[in-house]
Amino acid sequence: MSRRWPFLIPFLSMTAGMTLSALNGCFFDITSVLAVFTCLLLASLLPKPVFFSAFAALFFFFWGMFALYPWLTPGTAKYSITAKASDTPITIEGVISARPSVAPEGSRVTVQVECIFSGKRAETASGLLLLYVSEGDVSLARGDRIRFVSRVAVPRLLGLPGEFNYPRYLALQGISATGRVASQGDIVLIRAAAVESFQRDIDGMARLLGDAIRRSIPDERVSSVLAALLVGDQRRIPADLSDAYTRAGVNHILSISGFHVGIIAAFIMIMVVWLLTRFEYPALRWNVRRVALLVAVPAMLAYLLLTGSAPATARSVIMLTVFAAALFTEREQDSINTLLLAAFFLVAINPPTLFDVSFQLSFLSLWGILVAVPQIMKRTANVNNSWLRSIIQFVAVSAAASCVTLLPVLFVFKVASLNGILTNFLIVPLLGYGAVLTGFIALPLVVIFPSSAPLLLWPAATLVAVSNKFVMWCTSLPVLNFHGITAWDMFFFLLFMTCMTFLRGKVLLRVSGLLIPLSATILHLYAANAADGRLHITMLSVGQAESMLVRLPDGSTMLVDGGGYLHDICHDFGQRMLAPALGALHVGRIDTMIATHEHPDHSGGLPYIIKNFPVGEFWSIKNVTAEIRSELSKKRRVQRTLAAGDIITLPGPVTVTFLSPASSLQTAENEESSANEQSLVFRLRYGAFSMIFCADAGFEAEQTMLAGSHELQSTVLKVGHHGSSYSTSEEFLERVRPGVALISAGAGNRFGLPSARTVNLLRSKGIPTYRTDRDGTIELVTDGVSWSVSTPYSPTGNILPFDSVQ
């Protein structure tokens, strides 16, 4: 195996080491790597190659365990910008270190910090800072020295199951802190081109071409797609159009990959061959195909730099360069070996590439094509019609790429589409062959003849416009929404692909092809069996918001609120945060959904869940948001309006007693205090265990409950209004007498919650308190007699247990 695929074992060993170190945060030091390398050199002197192969695998594994150390353990440098993280804005000066990224929702600028200003005094600082520009375009460029005022934040995990590891994502880019300004007007340009570089000139050319495209084509939806196809500027595409391409299953066409590079390389070769064969001397004396290859390779490298050197594009250029070298030397080249070589080279020179989603999907799609398509074409060898064989091959390529990336796309994005198997028939000719080629031909002419740019780009723009209309029509096509794909599923998937590619022998292939999917299925069935006779209450760490999941003893589920963003930031909280958390907890159905009140930090994530999860009943007060009401109506869900005095018994038996608000107090007013005081408050009881869910109720609602006749004493108190100083009165706390208190709040929130008054009051009463801002997601489990609290997803990695017996 090592002789046929010499890069297989090194690549697998290196990626295994990198993955393990990224997941558990453990790294080998350089001394260990050098020691194993010494053993490898000694093994090369032994007569049996098995020792050399073993130590080679061990060396690359050790190297993988060390490779990410500089990115994931940056340390605490004396002048690190992370040391300046606080709520107080500071003046920062630095040099832009990468091409700014512009998108409809704002721009991103990566800054190499040089110094900060404290008063009139400058202090040395270092590190990469990602600066968010909330509104407008950014005309700054790589190498510009800038100064701005911003708060410095160090990214941290929420401690939420299934959350995207944003701190690691930034760390793999070398970024250690973030900042924000409102617009470019808040950024002072100290000196343009303070640091000159060849890449700055390339960025300038890409900007020039992108601006020319946008000026020449007034329709933003057309110009943004064309700019994505030609210069890699994909982030300007409107969100609804990008979503339409995703639903149509052809969003791959928008990111420059091997397909685009291959089309352009083939076009250049054809044109060079045509040109050289027009003249007698080169046609008779030169090998025109070799010359065409030599011309195509530099052109591909230039295109790679122009489009931002994305990992997927780099992988494509490396692969095509290897193929070109093989053709040039007239040596046969194995496709899988070439793919492994390209992947190994990219990951070895820049280890974070392994965790780049575009690289992963590009690598997997090509892997699937190289494995599946030859087998399909072999079985259709008796088809003599060349047109029919071409159609079969086209469908086979499209199906292989779509199917092999289905699980990874669901794992990362939670939504996938197989519609591309059919829609590629129209989109690939329109954009891949049509718009890319006509646009590529027009680009240099646009620079030379800027006044003729609209005419030169008209063919490509027309093809893009037709494509846009088609994909918008495709928004009615179904897509797959699934949040239950786990890391174990990805492991089994990669194991399956590896076995299908490298194993030989029908028996081994059949056994692995049966056992691997069966093992993954059994693991899912085991995880889905949530009925263990105990009550599970999970306070999800959703930032400055609130959402709680209750799993009843029979396995049925109750979702109390859905978190949300306090302000509209053009993202769906349910899609980005809540649904992945439910998927990670193996929740595929919500039997009972409760909306305590209509504030967005409690109800913002619920519409997405109603739309994409099976929901049994919906409980709330009279007032719910229009979006929730609309989704409930579409899905025809059972709705129940509840008030103080209502009692519902659920399987277990679990009794839910509603304590507030009274039916007569539920009004349609939207005042802040009214909405909070009308929060749906209830007491849940299972055996000797009980818990009060106070939502955002304050002193007013507490006084109403104190005057009522219902039992308030409870084992656990979910503290009202995120621990506000206007909730949890001493009188109310005396009546409840909880054994433990839970608070949902966001770390470093601008409201200062939980308030010092509430925290000190709980401490003075000797009540242990768990907080999502400090402990992450909080898990409470009870069998109706004893109960325990733990924080298995603590951002600090600590598990804080607390056990008690009632």
Side-chain angles (χ1 to χ4, degrees):
M1 182 177 290
S2 60
R3 290 184 178 180
R4 182 172 181 180
W5 296 293
F7 289 97
L8 176 61
I9 298 301
F11 181 67
L12 288 180
S13 301
M14 183 172 62
T15 54
M18 289 181 184
T19 304
L20 189 61
S21 64
L23 290 177
N24 65 17
C26 295
F27 303 90
F28 290 160
D29 56 28
I30 190 63
T31 306
S32 302
V33 177
L34 292 175
V36 177
F37 181 71
T38 303
C39 294
L40 175 63
L41 293 178
L42 295 174
S44 65
L45 304 176
L46 299 176
K48 293 186 178 181
V50 64
F51 294 106
F52 180 81
S53 299
F55 277 105
L58 192 62
F59 166 71
F60 283 106
F61 177 77
F62 270 57
W63 170 255
M65 290 291 293
F66 165 77
L68 294 173
Y69 182 85
W71 285 272
L72 298 183
T73 57
T76 54
K78 181 179 180 181
Y79 301 110
S80 174
I81 187 63
T82 57
K84 306 300 179 181
S86 72
D87 291 334
T88 304
I90 58 174
T91 302
I92 303 169
E93 184 175 308
V95 175
I96 298 176
S97 62
R99 181 184 300 183
S101 173
V102 180
E105 65 271 16
S107 305
R108 300 179 183 183
V109 181
T110 305
V111 180
Q112 178 63 58
V113 178
E114 294 180 332
C115 64
I116 63 170
F117 291 88
S118 178
K120 296 183 179 180
R121 184 169 55 89
E123 298 178 13
T124 302
S126 63
L128 282 181
L129 179 141
L130 181 61
L131 180 65
Y132 294 95
V133 183
S134 300
E135 298 177 357
D137 203 340
V138 171
S139 59
L140 300 167
R142 187 196 310 252
D144 290 346
R145 177 169 284 111
I146 60 174
R147 186 181 296 175
F148 54 93
V149 178
S150 171
R151 295 180 177 88
V152 176
V154 176
R156 70 186 298 275
L157 289 171
L158 291 172
L160 180 68
E163 74 175 304
F164 175 64
N165 196 326
Y166 191 59
R168 186 176 69 190
Y169 168 77
L170 292 180
L172 290 173
Q173 300 174 61
I175 297 169
S176 56
T178 62
R180 182 178 295 274
V181 295
S183 67
Q184 183 172 328
D186 297 315
I187 302 174
V188 178
L189 177 62
I190 302 298
R191 181 184 175 188
V195 178
E196 292 281 4
S197 67
F198 173 69
Q199 190 61 53
R200 174 186 167 85
D201 297 333
I202 296 294
D203 291 350
M205 178 59 68
R207 177 76 187 217
L208 177 67
L209 293 173
D211 289 343
I213 292 171
R214 285 182 282 275
R215 281 196 308 269
S216 305
I217 304 171
D219 188 341
E220 181 189 4
R221 300 171 73 83
V222 174
S223 64
S224 61
V225 171
L226 191 56
L229 293 172
L230 299 180
V231 296
D233 189 3
Q234 188 180 351
R235 291 183 58 86
R236 294 177 186 261
I237 299 175
D240 67 318
L241 184 58
S242 179
D243 181 65
Y245 273 91
T246 299
R247 294 184 72 88
V250 291
N251 58 322
H252 63 88
I253 204 77
L254 299 178
S255 57
I256 294 175
S257 61
F259 176 75
H260 303 74
V261 175
I263 289 293
I264 291 173
F267 172 75
I268 292 173
M269 289 179 61
I270 291 171
M271 294 304 298
V272 171
V273 169
W274 179 86
L275 181 64
L276 293 180
T277 53
R278 299 304 98 187
F279 302 94
E280 181 179 352
Y281 184 86
L284 295 177
R285 295 177 178 271
W286 296 353
N287 186 325
V288 292
R289 292 192 175 184
R290 289 189 176 185
V291 174
L293 283 172
L294 289 176
V295 174
V297 170
M300 287 191 297
L301 292 174
Y303 189 58
L304 170 67
L305 294 173
L306 182 69
T307 56
S309 305
T313 315
R315 187 267 308 157
S316 306
V317 169
I318 291 173
M319 287 196 64
L320 290 171
T321 302
V322 172
F323 276 120
L327 291 172
F328 189 83
T329 58
E330 298 182 351
R331 293 185 60 182
E332 186 177 350
Q333 185 65 39
D334 180 83
S335 300
I336 296 294
N337 264 332
T338 306
L339 179 63
L340 285 171
L341 171 61
F344 179 82
F345 179 77
L346 281 172
V347 175
I349 62 173
N350 185 32
T353 299
L354 180 65
F355 301 93
D356 185 276
V357 174
S358 66
F359 166 78
Q360 294 170 356
L361 295 180
S362 177
F363 176 83
L364 288 171
S365 61
L366 190 54
W367 186 5
I369 290 169
L370 294 178
V371 171
V373 174
Q375 298 299 320
I376 295 171
M377 298 309 297
K378 187 185 298 183
R379 285 164 174 74
T380 59
N382 57 344
V383 177
N384 297 319
N385 188 302
S386 59
W387 280 98
L388 182 58
R389 281 186 61 81
S390 297
I391 292 173
I392 292 173
Q393 186 175 34
F394 185 90
V395 174
V397 169
S398 181
S402 298
C403 292
V404 81
T405 55
L406 180 64
L407 277 181
V409 167
L410 283 174
F411 178 66
V412 176
F413 301 108
K414 318 304 178 188
V415 59
S417 172
L418 291 175
N419 299 321
I421 296 174
L422 298 177
T423 54
N424 274 325
F425 274 100
L426 180 63
I427 299 301
V428 168
L430 278 175
L431 297 187
Y433 301 122
V436 168
L437 277 182
T438 56
F440 182 75
I441 294 169
L443 276 184
L445 299 176
V446 165
V447 178
I448 301 171
F449 308 106
S451 60
S452 302
L455 180 63
L456 293 168
L457 292 170
W458 178 83
T462 302
L463 294 171
V464 170
V466 173
S467 173
N468 286 353
K469 289 182 179 179
F470 177 71
V471 298
M472 290 306 295
W473 173 82
C474 290
T475 55
S476 59
L477 296 175
V479 294
L480 298 174
N481 283 286
F482 187 66
H483 299 82
I485 303 299
T486 66
W488 278 109
D489 293 318
M490 292 305 302
F491 169 76
F492 285 121
F493 164 73
L494 293 174
L495 182 62
F496 177 84
M497 286 290 295
T498 302
C499 291
M500 294 300 104
T501 305
F502 300 108
L503 287 184
R504 291 294 176 263
K506 292 183 178 180
V507 175
L508 283 176
L509 286 172
R510 288 174 181 173
V511 170
S512 59
L514 176 65
L515 289 181
I516 295 173
L518 183 62
S519 301
T521 303
I522 291 172
L523 197 62
H524 265 281
L525 293 174
Y526 175 78
N529 184 20
D532 62 357
R534 298 185 298 172
L535 180 69
H536 297 254
I537 300 174
T538 306
M539 175 175 274
L540 299 171
S541 180
V542 289
Q544 188 53 38
E546 187 167 300
S547 181
M548 301 188 71
L549 175 69
V550 180
R551 285 174 286 189
L552 303 180
D554 70 336
S556 57
T557 56
M558 173 192 292
L559 182 64
V560 183
D561 286 336
Y565 301 113
L566 286 169
H567 306 286
D568 183 13
I569 61 170
C570 302
H571 294 300
D572 190 319
F573 186 91
Q575 181 182 23
R576 289 167 63 93
M577 306 291 289
L578 186 55
L582 295 176
L585 294 172
H586 309 289
V587 176
R589 172 185 171 81
I590 303 298
D591 295 286
T592 305
M593 177 181 286
I594 301 178
T596 61
H597 61 299
E598 58 185 348
H599 281 171
D601 59 327
H602 286 251
S603 63
L606 295 181
Y608 182 86
I609 303 302
I610 297 170
K611 184 177 180 179
N612 294 282
F613 282 68
V615 176
E617 292 190 353
F618 180 82
W619 300 354
S620 69
I621 57 174
K622 290 179 181 178
N623 300 330
V624 294
T625 65
E627 190 176 4
I628 288 177
R629 191 179 296 110
S630 174
E631 291 298 339
L632 289 171
S633 177
K634 291 176 185 177
K635 296 292 184 178
R636 298 181 180 179
R637 304 303 186 198
V638 177
Q639 302 178 51
R640 300 179 66 170
T641 300
L642 298 163
D646 291 333
I647 299 176
I648 299 175
T649 302
L650 299 173
V654 173
T655 304
V656 182
T657 303
F658 292 89
L659 308 174
S660 182
S663 179
S664 60
L665 297 178
Q666 296 188 27
T667 69
E669 296 176 8
N670 292 318
E671 296 177 6
E672 186 77 14
S673 61
S674 176
N676 285 337
E677 299 302 344
Q678 290 184 40
S679 294
L680 196 59
V681 180
F682 59 92
R683 180 175 183 265
L684 182 147
R685 182 174 60 82
Y686 175 51
F689 173 87
S690 57
M691 176 172 173
I692 286 186
F693 295 72
C694 284
D696 273 358
F699 293 154
E700 181 183 328
E702 290 173 3
Q703 287 301 315
T704 302
M705 288 185 278
L706 288 169
S709 58
H710 294 290
E711 176 64 49
L712 295 182
Q713 194 280 321
S714 299
T715 313
V716 179
L717 170 66
K718 200 295 296 179
V719 175
H721 203 190
H722 316 282
S724 163
S725 58
Y726 301 102
S727 67
T728 317
S729 65
E730 186 168 2
E731 183 182 2
F732 183 72
L733 202 58
E734 286 291 343
R735 281 281 297 275
V736 176
R737 289 186 287 116
V740 69
L742 309 181
I743 300 176
S744 180
N749 66 83
R750 60 189 178 91
F751 306 104
L753 298 175
S755 69
R757 185 206 71 86
T758 302
V759 171
N760 291 334
L761 177 61
L762 292 168
R763 184 182 296 117
S764 69
K765 301 294 183 182
I767 301 171
T769 304
Y770 288 80
R771 300 162 38 177
T772 56
D773 62 329
R774 184 187 60 193
D775 306 319
T777 292
I778 303 162
E779 180 80 21
L780 190 150
V781 182
T782 177
D783 58 5
V785 179
S786 61
W787 53 275
S788 63
V789 184
S790 63
T791 58
Y793 302 96
S794 173
T796 60
N798 299 321
I799 296 179
L800 307 173
F802 183 84
D803 300 285
S804 181
V805 177
Q806 292 294 100

